[in-house]
Amino acid sequence: MRKPAVLGGGLPVAATALTATVAVYILLVVLGNVTDFDTNRDFVRHVLAMDTTYRDEDLMWRAVTSRTLQDLAYLLIIAWEAATAAVLLAATARWARALRRGGYERARRTATLGLVMFLLLFGLGFIAIGGEWFAMWQSPRWNGLAAAQRNFLVAGLTLLVIHLPGRRDADRL
């Protein structure tokens, strides 16, 4: 029979708190993108259009100037963010239950999925594609790389914490 976890500290509490932090953050991002739709859509439009970059002719062929494609990309970003928020909120609930009952593996797996989704959004989506492919780093106004890197770092740190080795025989972190 499994021993229930002891509330009061340790890696499971840290994993719960960090997962919850990332979950609340991405949930607020979704809320912001939905309630302030136009501002954030403009951000995506300018990044994809590359209209505030150095406009180097060797790079401008990458620009996406179709409003329909820009808006589709923005809607896909919001959908990915919402799915990520849902997974991370479920992971947070699983961590909270595991703190009372023990059995962290389901929480760890769910959190890993949500955090990888988060890392793909900010690492692949904003840093690699937005930052490099669409040269967002060149834009003095529409450059979200600092925020993307900060988000990537926090999620990466959270992922490391939830996978730190521990006493597996007690199903603890």
Side-chain angles (χ1 to χ4, degrees), residues 4-6 9-12 104 108 164-173:
V6 177
L11 287 173
Y104 296 102
R108 185 181 292 111
L164 285 173
R167 292 181 16 214
R168 295 287 179 177
D169 58 325
D171 194 22
R172 295 178 55 100
L173 287 175

Side-chain angles (χ1 to χ4, degrees), residues 24-45:
V24 168
Y25 175 79
I26 195 67
L27 184 64
L28 292 174
V29 168
V30 172
L31 181 65
N33 283 341
V34 170
T35 60
D36 188 14
F37 189 85
D38 291 338
T39 298
N40 295 304
R41 180 182 60 186
D42 285 347
F43 176 87
V44 172
R45 283 180 173 176

Side-chain angles (χ1 to χ4, degrees), residues 16 42 72 90 110 122 165:
T16 304
D42 285 347
L72 179 61
T110 307
F122 289 101

Side-chain angles (χ1 to χ4, degrees), residues 56-115:
D56 184 321
E57 65 186 48
D58 293 329
L59 297 179
M60 290 308 293
W61 64 270
R62 300 175 182 177
V64 175
T65 56
S66 163
R67 292 279 174 130
T68 301
L69 290 177
Q70 292 168 345
D71 291 349
L72 179 61
Y74 182 49
L75 291 172
L76 289 172
I77 290 168
I78 294 171
W80 187 265
E81 291 167 345
T84 301
V87 171
L88 287 170
L89 288 169
T92 301
R94 285 181 173 174
W95 278 117
R97 277 193 303 276
L99 286 175
R100 291 187 309 276
R101 299 180 191 153
Y104 296 102
E105 203 51 45
R106 284 186 70 199
R108 185 181 292 111
R109 282 194 310 268
T110 307
T112 298
L113 173 61
L115 290 165

